Amino acid sequence: MNDLTVIVLAAGGGTRMKSKTMKVLHPIAGRSMLGHVLAAAQALEPTRIVAVVGNQREQVVPHVRELVPDAVIAVQESQDGTGHAVRVAWQALPAEARSGTVLVAYADTPLLQGDSLRAFADFHLGSQHAMSILSGRVPDPAGYGRVIRDASGVVAIVEEREATPEQAAVDEINSGILAFDADFLDAALPRIGNDNAKREYYLTDTVALAREDGRSVGAFVLDDVKQTEGANDRAQLASLAREMNSRVLTRWMREGVTVVDPESTWIDVDVKLARDVTILPGVQLLGATVVAEDAVVGPDCTLKDVEVGEGARVVRTHGELAVIGAGADVGPFSYLRPGTVVGAGGKIGAFVEAKNARIGDGAKVPHLSYVGDAEIGEGTNIGAGTIFANYDGVEKHRTTVGRHARTGSNNTFVAPVTIGDGAATGGGTVVREDVPPGALAVSAGPQRNLEGWAQRRRAGTKQGDAAEAASRPAASPGTTPGVGDGPPGG
Ligand code: UD1
Ligand code: MG
């Protein structure tokens, strides 16, 4: 493979973001802007990647190291222009690495795709040009460097501030992504001056320098020029995020995923979806979330790093670092915290919060419960309103419930405690001691009824009157029916 160096410029100030977070670290679709560009660069399998850092580099350097551990870091102390930035990158390389082809990209163009970079690199490699420009035609070229051509080809890039009215009218712009033969770049960098409106070293001056040397310059017009659009403030960031989201959704729809409402659906770039997944309105699938075939997610779910099994149904749920088994049923209004694993065919129902809990195959926690630090065996049913009391105020403890157990409503399981296979508990039980397999645990005291209490102590109130009326002998047939007259049940 060719010797290829990718230089990513990430030293700029990004003051228009008005943020304590460095501009290129702002996230979009689950990665930082810089992360998207580094991923596109890595798709080329370059020999080396150089990141030029400057502003807030204490934030940027660890991020680069995490994503591309072997990247070369070049520190640009003051931002004296793109030409200066590339010179700093060049000087950070050992002499033997200053060879082959060099691609320069910016860290704030998150839509950039690896295959576009590949096509551009191939264009340059297949030519005799000293350098090539990734250009595009835009309806409003304001702010960009204009690509100036004559009969002999590309002759210059003229920055907006230095452009004549005639040059300013050119709609072919420099995206900022440039490719160079290393030998030419090496010779050109020291010759770039800063005698211009911004007193900056313009990398784009290399075009005129190549022509001075009698070398040709190519321009590869990228149809999808939006890929090279940068974000300078948060309004532009949001607009790029919407664009990226729409591209991600289109890709998944073409792969056989139903997205009912693309406007209210957000899917991060690293999410994976199978065919015949259905996404209902108001869903965010984030991080490394994976959804298997025939699962239905939504409406109104946020799932981050969640695995959804085949044919599962997840409704109005917030989940993070959880696993939902095949055919399981989750929601509405469920909260799956990290470490929750719902088995195949299991159920987590309305107003249930689970954390660090394994719910076995076919096991159910259908209503109004907190399941923390627990293991629930297959086929077990947990009664409505059960609290797994995992915290004694100092430490967390685990609860284990066996297979095919049936626990009553409004129970509290005071961990650490174990309820055996096939065991049962009565309504309102507070389980403080282990329940052996097959046993019925009841902790509430026997019920006491104080007859006639309401008639005596609540006389004259509606409660007392109702009790009084109910205690009178039953009326004769034909009169208004009273309590106890109806058919049983109901
Ligand atoms: C640059 C190009 C212009 C092109 C436009 C595309 C030059 C002289 N002009 O202009 O032709 O149309 O991008 O967006 O190259 N940076 C550094 N160190 C510096 C200066 C810049 O790392 O000293 C980084 C910035 O963080 C940014 C990128 O380089 O990511 C571009 O710099 P910027 O100042 O935005 O250049 P433009 O004036 O937009
Ligand atoms: Mg710019």
Side-chain angles (χ1 to χ4, degrees):
M1 184 48 211
N2 291 290
D3 183 351
L4 176 65
T5 300
V6 179
I7 298 175
V8 177
L9 305 190
T15 47
R16 280 172 284 172
M17 294 299 279
K18 301 195 176 154
S19 176
K20 56 185 163 301
T21 302
M22 167 63 170
K23 172 169 103 168
V24 299
L25 299 187
H26 277 258
I28 157 165
R31 287 184 196 157
S32 66
M33 290 204 266
L34 172 59
H36 286 284
V37 174
L38 289 174
Q42 279 176 308
L44 298 183
E45 298 179 4
T47 322
R48 61 193 71 80
I49 292 179
V50 186
V52 179
V53 301
N55 282 283
Q56 288 161 288
R57 59 179 178 266
E58 66 291 348
Q59 293 177 17
V60 182
V61 172
H63 189 62
V64 173
R65 290 245 176 275
E66 190 192 329
L67 298 176
V68 188
D70 59 353
V72 176
I73 306 282
V75 177
Q76 188 190 23
E77 293 291 349
S78 61
Q79 281 61 64
D80 297 329
T82 49
H84 180 253
V86 171
R87 198 156 76 206
V88 167
W90 205 236
Q91 281 159 0
L93 290 174
E96 69 274 13
R98 298 181 201 159
S99 59
T101 301
V102 182
L103 217 70
V104 177
Y106 299 162
D108 64 351
T109 57
L111 295 181
L112 186 64
Q113 292 295 305
D115 51 5
S116 303
L117 272 188
R118 172 85 272 158
F120 175 55
D122 287 346
F123 164 84
H124 179 72
L125 286 166
S127 76
Q128 297 299 315
H129 302 309
M131 65 175 290
S132 300
I133 304 161
L134 185 65
S135 73
R137 295 193 185 279
V138 293
D140 177 14
Y144 288 103
R146 313 296 205 278
V147 177
I148 309 302
R149 297 174 184 257
D150 70 10
S152 68
V154 176
V155 292
I157 295 173
V158 177
E159 293 306 309
E160 169 115 341
R161 289 171 197 239
E162 284 87 25
T164 63
E166 196 179 86
Q167 290 169 331
V170 170
D171 70 349
E172 184 179 3
I173 55 104
N174 167 31
S175 70
I177 297 163
L178 301 172
F180 297 91
D181 280 357
D183 292 345
F184 166 69
L185 184 67
D186 189 61
L189 284 173
R191 293 154 66 198
I192 299 175
N194 66 347
D195 184 15
N196 53 47
K198 282 171 91 180
R199 296 258 138 227
E200 280 188 1
Y201 297 87
Y202 290 166
L203 184 60
T204 46
D205 284 356
T206 48
V207 176
L209 291 172
R211 295 307 304 255
E212 259 175 54
D213 294 354
R215 304 284 309 271
S216 69
V217 175
F220 178 82
V221 182
L222 185 68
D223 288 335
D224 183 17
V225 68
K226 238 188 150 53
Q227 278 188 31
T228 66
E229 232 172 68
N232 294 309
D233 60 28
R234 299 196 207 213
Q236 288 169 347
L237 184 69
S239 125
L240 289 188
R242 186 161 280 290
E243 177 63 30
M244 179 164 321
N245 188 55
S246 133
R247 290 173 180 223
V248 169
L249 293 178
T250 301
R251 171 161 64 86
W252 285 120
M253 290 187 276
R254 298 228 160 99
E255 289 292 326
V257 171
T258 295
V259 178
V260 172
D261 181 24
E263 289 295 306
S264 68
T265 303
W266 290 83
I267 299 184
D268 279 355
V269 285
D270 291 318
V271 168
K272 298 206 162 42
L273 307 175
R275 279 190 179 193
D276 288 319
V277 161
T278 299
I279 312 287
L280 298 175
V283 169
Q284 294 117 49
L285 301 179
L286 310 176
T289 292
V290 178
V291 185
E293 207 164 304
D294 297 326
V296 181
V297 180
D300 302 329
C301 291
T302 301
L303 304 181
K304 178 156 193 250
D305 304 321
V306 171
E307 213 180 299
V308 179
E310 197 174 316
R313 237 190 102 61
V314 188
V315 182
R316 291 185 215 283
T317 291
H318 187 99
E320 213 166 317
L321 280 168
V323 177
I324 297 169
D329 209 332
V330 175
F333 311 111
S334 305
Y335 181 20
L336 308 186
R337 291 167 54 197
T340 299
V341 179
V342 185
K347 181 182 172 74
I348 293 278
F351 305 104
V352 173
E353 172 180 345
K355 182 213 78 168
N356 196 13
R358 299 185 75 87
I359 289 103
D361 292 351
K364 295 183 170 147
V365 188
H367 328 274
L368 302 159
S369 295
Y370 172 62
V371 186
D373 300 307
E375 181 93 33
I376 299 175
E378 69 171 278
T380 284
N381 190 82
I382 302 296
T386 296
I387 303 300
F388 286 63
N390 57 333
Y391 186 47
D392 61 13
V394 182
E395 281 180 86
K396 303 277 171 71
H397 303 279
R398 285 190 79 79
T399 297
T400 304
V401 183
R403 304 164 52 235
H404 298 289
R406 296 282 177 272
T407 69
S409 296
N410 195 28
N411 277 200
T412 302
F413 302 153
V414 183
V417 76
T418 298
I419 297 170
D421 293 347
T425 64
T429 299
V430 178
V431 178
R432 296 177 189 278
E433 281 160 39
D434 290 355
V435 180
L440 167 68
V442 206
S443 72
Q447 179 173 324
R448 235 160 30 108
N449 293 337
L450 305 181
E451 296 282 350
W453 178 88
Q455 294 93 312
R456 292 193 304 277
R457 306 293 293 267
R458 294 290 181 267
T461 67
K462 285 185 177 172
Q463 179 189 9
D465 292 349
E468 182 61 38
S471 66
R472 281 199 289 268
S476 49
T479 61
T480 317
V483 173
D485 285 344

